[in-house]
Amino acid sequence: MDERVVVAGAVLDAGRLLAARRTAPPALAGRWELPGGKVEPGEMVPSALVRELREELGVLVEPLERVPGAWPLAPGYVLHVWTARLLSGEPSPLQDHDALRWVTPEDAFSLDWLAPDRPAVTWLTQRPTSAF
């Protein structure tokens, strides 16, 4: 069975990374993630990221590069993370989130990240030339 891709955006702006706090499902509520969503059949992953962040946060982003790795989510789903540059809009928690926070590499792990997001956040914060 093919795994369905869920894409998350490591939205970077002015030396900061955007984190989003989940509201659902109950097991994940209150924890932090990189925002995004499911890639629709026939949709390219970068296009899905642009669509999802417009729907969830009301922003326009430019996908830049895929973070190395893929992380299992619910059965049949796998997480891919892409860095993205904020092009326009002020992020707002429109769907699935109740709070957003910009974090620096130094304070990124003060948040309680969901397990699948942790490797990507670690990669971002440990890059020799920080993507932030």
Side-chain angles (χ1 to χ4, degrees):
M1 179 178 105
D2 287 334
E3 290 181 310
R4 187 153 171 210
V5 172
V6 173
V7 63
V11 180
L12 306 168
D13 187 56
R16 305 168 304 163
L17 171 68
L18 185 64
R21 190 170 63 193
R22 291 212 46 109
T23 56
L28 305 180
R31 303 210 37 219
W32 295 85
E33 69 175 358
L34 300 170
K38 296 178 187 82
V39 177
E40 298 299 331
E43 189 175 32
M44 299 298 292
V45 175
S47 300
L49 180 62
V50 171
R51 176 185 53 75
E52 284 287 344
L53 295 185
R54 184 179 59 243
E55 292 171 1
E56 288 191 5
L57 306 177
V59 297
L60 178 62
V61 300
E62 176 188 11
L64 300 173
E65 68 176 308
R66 181 159 166 214
V67 174
W71 300 276
L73 299 172
Y77 291 90
V78 63
L79 178 67
H80 291 187
V81 176
W82 282 68
T83 61
R85 178 173 39 242
L86 182 63
L87 295 179
S88 67
E90 182 63 35
S92 299
L94 304 177
Q95 292 181 12
D96 303 323
H97 305 103
D98 66 354
L100 301 175
R101 184 176 299 166
W102 289 103
V103 296
T104 63
E106 295 77 26
D107 68 3
F109 282 100
S110 65
L111 301 180
D112 183 16
W113 292 96
L114 294 174
D117 292 70
R118 285 183 163 273
V121 174
T122 298
W123 183 83
L124 288 161
T125 60
Q126 294 180 350
R127 293 178 73 179
T129 56
S130 179
F132 287 55

